[in-house]
Amino acid sequence: MKRSLLLKLISAYIVFVLLTLVILSTFIQHITTERQKQHEAQNLYREATLIASDYASLYYRDSFSPEELHRQISAISKYLSAEIWIISPNGNIVVDSSNLSVSQSAIQGTFKSITEFDVADFGSSYYLTGNFYNSFDQDTLTVFYPITMNYQVRGYVLLHKSTALITNTANEFTNIAFYAAGITLTGSLLLLLFFLFTVYRPLRKISKISMAYAKGEFTQKISVHSSDEFGVLADTMNFMATELDTLEEDQRKFVSNVSHDFRSPLTSIKGYVEAILDGTIPAEMQDKYLNIILSETERLNNLTQSLLDLNRFGQHGVRLDIADFDINQMIRTTVATFEGRCLTKRIRFELFLTGEELYVTADMSKIQQVIHNLIDNAIKFSYTNSSIKIETSIMNEKTILSIRDSGIGIPADSIKKIWERFYKTDLSRGKDKKGTGLGLAIVKEIIQAHNEHIDVISTEGAGSEFIFTLPLSQREL
Ligand code: ADP
């Protein structure tokens, strides 16, 4: 991922800022000015109505002198900040609030006149904007109201207010909107920065390192230490990387172990066969070497079988053929198969079995393999003229099996590793040339497939005890 997300965010922010400014300075400005103009026109119209009905009609009834009228409307004019005219239908200005001389000359019959004045120019509206027949230098809002007496229009009240004054008020409103927008934009900028630090930066770190993971480089770690979802994601990915790294290392070790374990018997088989064929080994000696070849092929066979077993157990959901069987009987039968080897090594079995029969619920053939592998190891690593104790007991609705020898034992630093595939302690390497280092890995897989536990207690030079649990059969409860 390039900086595209950041670029998108910043572009979106800039567009947002520009849009806000354009909207404020055009639409909002226009709308507020128009609103203000209408509002002002309404106010002036109301005033015009009052002037027409009160002062102007009094004037036309001759109850008001022109000076009196002028004085009154001048006062109102100041209050409204607007010029007030009384104009006759033919355009003669009778009173001008801003110009006393116009009113005075009107008294003498000489009128300032707007000859083009035509009330029809207002159309259906009650106000106009412009310079009112060139009467003003600047834009003006003009509101009119007719003065009627005896159903006859005698004149009009005209109120003129500079639109600059109206725009100023509208601008004040727009300025407030600008301030509000300024605060909002600063707030959103802060939000953007916050997002940048809390979301974008961790996301970038995670994405950069996950690319390295995709290339198979698992040594790098993600340094996001927050307690939010990103922190959790980073921790999970770091854990995943460590696991994958270990897995890769395990796979490498596995392949090199398999190759090594296959190569050594194959090399000796090849060597002996060649020696027999080219006559290096004389005919009378061939039997001995053919037996060695046979035992090496057996070893290869065992190795292949163990690998296949492990592969099967390693897959999740290995199918177990669960049934009730007598574990005491199984121990007795298995022990009997080792009689020959025990005689040569002068090893005795001591069985401490609970009850005559002890039923467990498990996969019979797989548990037999477990017991076989453990007894096989016990014999292999026992001193001559020693004993192996096998015990069954019941605890918390579980059957506990223990196989204890008084052999060479396992060094403390190897205890955890003995369950690994192909692992052999240095001690055993000298004594056990035939072992594959897969037996205990298979044992562990089988016990775990049953959701049970297996453990070992061992002291170097004193012996080892392997203990595992099995579910007690219902018939024993
Ligand atoms: P192997 O085929 O070599 O016996 P295992 O997986 O059964 O492979 O055992 C792994 C290693 O654990 C052995 O090589 C040996 O070093 C050690 N080990 C297993 N059982 C015993 C035991 N009863 N006494 C001493 N060492 C043992």
Side-chain angles (χ1 to χ4, degrees):
M1 189 175 73
K2 297 207 177 95
R3 291 186 174 266
S4 59
L5 184 62
L6 183 67
L7 217 74
K8 275 183 205 165
L9 275 172
I10 292 177
S11 323
Y13 182 74
I14 292 173
V15 169
F16 176 59
V17 170
L18 290 178
L19 221 69
T20 312
L21 293 178
V22 168
I23 288 174
L24 276 178
S25 54
T26 54
F27 297 117
I28 304 279
Q29 172 88 355
H30 177 74
I31 289 167
T32 26
T33 314
E34 279 308 305
R35 277 274 171 91
Q36 191 58 27
K37 213 185 270 177
Q38 270 179 16
H39 177 71
E40 202 61 53
Q42 269 171 7
N43 278 349
L44 293 177
Y45 185 74
R46 232 183 354 258
E47 295 300 330
T49 322
L50 286 175
I51 296 167
S53 60
D54 288 359
Y55 309 111
S57 53
L58 279 174
Y59 166 75
Y60 280 107
R61 279 197 200 97
D62 291 331
S63 327
F64 237 28
S65 70
E67 288 87 357
E68 187 70 22
L69 179 63
H70 182 86
R71 214 178 36 249
Q72 290 295 344
I73 61 172
S74 301
I76 302 171
S77 152
K78 278 195 194 95
Y79 164 68
L80 295 176
S81 311
E83 243 177 67
I84 305 172
W85 293 0
I86 308 286
I87 192 167
S88 66
N90 58 5
N92 289 339
I93 301 172
V94 181
V95 178
D96 179 348
S97 66
S98 66
N99 199 337
L100 183 61
S101 59
V102 170
S103 313
Q104 280 169 344
S105 44
I107 298 165
Q108 289 146 18
T110 41
F111 294 100
K112 185 185 167 195
S113 189
I114 311 281
T115 44
E116 313 95 307
F117 174 69
D118 183 359
V119 78
D121 289 343
F122 282 85
S124 59
S125 176
Y126 56 89
Y127 68 90
L128 268 182
T129 40
N131 57 8
F132 200 70
Y133 307 105
N134 298 321
S135 310
F136 302 100
D137 308 332
Q138 47 181 324
D139 230 19
T140 309
L141 169 75
T142 303
V143 173
F144 91 102
Y145 191 80
I147 307 159
T148 46
M149 285 186 73
N150 302 328
Y151 307 109
Q152 257 196 332
V153 176
R154 299 292 299 271
Y156 298 95
V157 178
L158 297 180
L159 274 78
H160 308 283
K161 187 162 187 169
S162 157
T163 43
L165 287 175
I166 299 166
T167 320
N168 280 350
T169 324
N171 282 349
E172 276 169 27
F173 284 119
T174 321
N175 282 346
I176 294 171
F178 268 109
Y179 288 135
I183 293 169
T184 314
L185 292 179
T186 318
S188 49
L189 183 68
L190 291 177
L191 211 71
L192 186 75
L193 289 175
F194 177 74
F195 178 84
L196 218 74
F197 279 99
T198 56
V199 177
Y200 179 71
R201 262 172 46 137
L203 200 65
R204 245 185 89 71
K205 276 188 195 169
I206 292 173
S207 119
K208 202 173 131 200
I209 302 222
S210 59
M211 273 171 166
Y213 290 170
K215 285 183 199 149
E217 297 158 16
F218 300 111
T219 44
Q220 295 189 49
K221 292 282 170 286
I222 305 168
S223 58
V224 174
H225 304 293
S226 56
S227 54
D228 56 13
E229 282 79 354
F230 284 111
V232 176
L233 182 65
D235 287 348
T236 316
M237 286 192 64
N238 284 340
F239 177 72
M240 181 194 78
T242 318
E243 290 289 293
L244 285 174
D245 204 17
T246 323
L247 198 73
E248 217 181 44
E249 181 59 34
D250 281 356
Q251 254 174 1
R252 258 198 304 273
K253 248 199 271 174
F254 183 79
V255 171
S256 90
N257 282 330
V258 172
S259 329
H260 174 263
D261 279 48
F262 271 88
R263 203 168 40 206
S264 48
L266 280 173
T267 317
S268 70
I269 291 171
K270 185 172 173 264
Y272 291 134
V273 171
E274 276 171 357
I276 289 170
L277 285 176
D278 66 18
T280 317
I281 296 175
E284 63 275 16
M285 299 278 283
Q286 278 179 11
D287 269 6
K288 180 186 164 195
Y289 290 102
L290 282 174
N291 273 325
I292 298 176
I293 291 171
L294 189 65
S295 100
E296 290 291 58
T297 45
E298 253 169 39
R299 191 162 117 77
L300 281 174
N301 208 17
N302 283 344
L303 197 67
T304 318
Q305 188 54 48
S306 300
L307 280 172
L308 286 174
D309 283 349
L310 262 179
N311 205 30
R312 219 159 10 100
F313 296 138
Q315 290 162 4
H316 287 290
V318 52
R319 227 183 74 81
L320 294 176
D321 217 347
I322 301 287
D324 282 1
F325 62 91
D326 179 6
I327 190 84
N328 287 350
Q329 186 52 39
M330 179 182 276
I331 292 169
R332 285 187 207 104
T333 331
T334 317
V335 162
T337 61
F338 286 99
E339 245 170 36
R341 269 175 70 192
C342 291
L343 267 177
T344 27
K345 242 183 146 180
R346 276 178 287 134
I347 290 172
R348 297 171 303 282
F349 279 105
E350 293 174 22
L351 305 186
F352 302 95
L353 307 177
T354 299
E356 191 52 34
E357 295 176 332
L358 180 59
Y359 278 86
V360 294
T361 308
D363 185 314
M364 198 169 156
S365 67
K366 292 195 173 78
I367 295 303
Q368 185 156 32
Q369 192 176 356
V370 169
I371 296 173
H372 182 279
N373 284 6
L374 293 178
I375 296 179
D376 185 53
N377 278 347
I379 298 172
K380 226 168 17 181
F381 300 111
S382 277
Y383 298 114
T384 30
N385 202 11
S386 64
S387 66
I388 294 171
K389 295 182 178 65
I390 303 179
E391 196 179 327
T392 55
S393 56
I394 299 174
M395 197 195 280
N396 299 333
E397 299 183 6
K398 295 271 180 204
T399 302
I400 299 170
L401 266 100
S402 143
I403 298 171
R404 178 149 49 106
D405 63 65
S406 36
I408 62 169
I410 305 165
D413 57 350
S414 299
I415 288 259
K416 277 202 177 119
K417 299 183 195 152
I418 56 166
W419 309 103
E420 289 172 15
R421 295 169 183 203
F422 294 105
Y423 185 79
K424 288 178 174 190
T425 64
D426 290 336
L427 278 180
S428 83
R429 281 187 192 279
K431 294 191 177 298
D432 171 35
K433 300 261 185 319
K434 286 196 175 156
T436 58
L438 292 173
L440 286 182
I442 293 175
V443 163
K444 185 139 195 172
E445 293 280 0
I446 293 177
I447 298 297
Q448 278 177 347
H450 282 81
N451 281 329
E452 295 296 330
H453 302 282
I454 180 155
D455 217 339
V456 61
I457 305 165
S458 184
T459 313
E460 204 179 332
S464 316
E465 181 179 11
F466 286 83
I467 309 159
F468 66 95
T469 57
L470 280 180
L472 200 59
S473 158
Q474 283 295 324
R475 66 169 89 179
E476 298 286 346
L477 299 172

